[in-house]
Amino acid sequence: MNPSNYRPRGMTLKRSLLSRYMLIVLSAIMILPISLPVVSVVAFLQGGGKVADTEDSKLYRDGNRLESMWHMEAAKLGNRSPQQIDAALERKKTEYPKAELFWVDGSGHTRLQLPETGQLPDQWSASYTVQYMKQGVSADDFTIVAFIGGSQSEGFMVFKIPRVLMQSGAAEASKSIGPIFVIVVLIVLAIFLFISLLFFYGIRKRLVRLQAAMAIPAGNGIPAPVATNQPDEIGQLELAFNEMVGKLEASREREANEDGLRRDLIARLSHDLRTPLTAIRAHAFGLKQERLTEEGRQSLQLIDRKIEYVSQLIENLLSFTLLESGKYPYRSERIDIVRLARASIAGWYPAFEQQGYEIDINLPEAQIYWFVDPEWMERVLDNYFQNVLRHAKSGGYVALRISGEHGGRLTIADRGPGMAETSDERGAGIGLAIASLMLEEMGLFSEIVSGSEGTFIHIGTKS
Amino acid sequence: MKQVLYIEDDKEIGAWVKEDLERRGYTVDWLLAGDTAMDRVIGADIVLLDVMLPGLDGFTIGQRLKKEAPQVPILMLSARTAVDDKLQGLRFADDYLTKPFHPDELAARLDVLLRRYGQPLELEIACGHLIIKPQQQAVYDGRTGGEISLTPKQLQILFYFLDNPNRILTKEQIYEAVWGDPYMDGDKTVMVHIRYLREKIEDDPSNPLIIETIRGIGYRVKR
């Protein structure tokens, strides 16, 4: 597929992973500024409930109002008798029950105290007055000092309330709202992290699933298609993967078809070649019945040998094609290789004998078991023996040995000119190629050592 | 005279094989196709069947023939040597020969099959100085005319050799053919029996002429 014209099918921006993650990030960013006022409102509503419960905060909250109220009261009381001042203070006390009220006359005597605290001196000295004023300003109490009648000679009166009373419900609530904000922000962050984690976990799970699907091939060596249900980027990846699997399968099938055609063609060719060969042999055989010169007879023998050779080549070509495509039937079983080798050389013995070979057989008495296909093994030995018969005649020697070491080692040796030398019948290499291909397929080790003194073929089990 | 039912679609080869076999003393019934083979198999001593036939293929015909007349041996001829052909063919065929075959080999294979299929045995077999009469299960010294008495096992071994003339037989093959049990590792039974057999039939058992030892492989009787 050309990536430049690859267009995601069925994927809208809305459903893409990118936009989904952007949505998560955006909502996290939005929820913070929204959540803060919401928390404030909630907290205020709860604080407002407190204000409604008590009138205290309304009464004492406004320091300025209290101050002007107290100074006005003090101004009104100018030139009044101490009894009148006491009555006025008692009136104020009923109005502001939580306030502490007292007055000191012009001579510095503490007069009415509401309530009686016992902390005040009877006689106010100048230094004490200054100290009291300092305390009153810095302490937790809100203190208003007003000169009665506006002049210092008539004394002063004091209005004192704890500062706590002056705080509004909202302000009270805002005191505890700080930690709530921190908690809310943390919760929002935690939720954001958790959702992100879920999001990426979901992606990871799907990717791992896809990876597993790619790694585990189905029976034919090609991974099985995966199920797709989400039309996002990973869904597209899965679709592309499935498409690739489909193409692989199709190409595998095409390849198998072509292979089948090729095998068929070779099988047919083999038949078509063998039939005329048989006819040639028939005519040559017919000629033999005629009167012939010695030369003619030799020609006929040569024709016969060449027919045999060509037919062998055809057989090898067909076998090689089958082997290469893995279509050569293979049925492995536990067989005694000594017995198989003995039966094989028994079949070849007369041929070697006829050609005047010295035949050197050294097989052990004990059985040695290999796990191979007996027909394949026979074929391998046949090919090697045939090779010796064809190409090592000058050595006049063939040996078959099996030793029990390393799970069995089979050796075929000759004293021919070696494989580097070209023999008069070329092309026999395909027989050896078939033999080594078969040994390889059967999981056996094989080694050919060839020199001018002869050839050694070693076959054994891989350790 | 042996009756051969020959099914072959190639006219050139068919004519040649028919002529050659007739010269060797067989009567040949040659069919170009297998359709009518079923009626002709009765009365035939052996079937010679080509695999690549038009219409019904050789394997199908072979299987039908084997069902129809199991006592008649079938020799397959084929131009195809694909191994699966060979395996499929041998399930009903008694032997198999690939083209281009040599006429002498064809004749030899036919002989072997006919012999194996319980055709009347030869009356007298000459082997070295021995005269063997299979129907009487008796062995005579051809020079003196005296009978050589053999134990049943010794006779069986000798007849197994005679059934497989010129072939090298391994001790495993002999043991399994004569005793009918799978050969066990290191068994000396065959060696011992052949030694006793030689003592009875060979002039010089230490230098045998009839049962030849092929060192490392087995034994052979030439005819």
Side-chain angles (χ1 to χ4, degrees), chain A residues 274 281-282 315 339 342 353, chain B residues 79 81 99-100 176 220:
Chain A
R274 274 161 192 281
R281 179 168 259 179
E315 162 78 28
R339 177 180 181 158
R342 189 180 284 129
E353 197 178 36
Chain B
T81 51
K99 290 178 181 175
E176 283 170 12
R220 173 169 64 179

Side-chain angles (χ1 to χ4, degrees), chain A residues 69-99:
Chain A
M69 174 275 292
W70 196 244
H71 283 288
M72 227 151 70
E73 191 65 27
K76 271 196 285 184
L77 291 175
N79 300 322
R80 298 288 171 86
S81 67
Q83 287 76 24
Q84 280 175 314
I85 295 173
D86 285 355
L89 279 189
E90 267 163 13
R91 219 168 44 239
K92 280 296 166 195
K93 176 71 184 172
T94 54
E95 205 176 321
Y96 298 98
K98 294 204 173 160

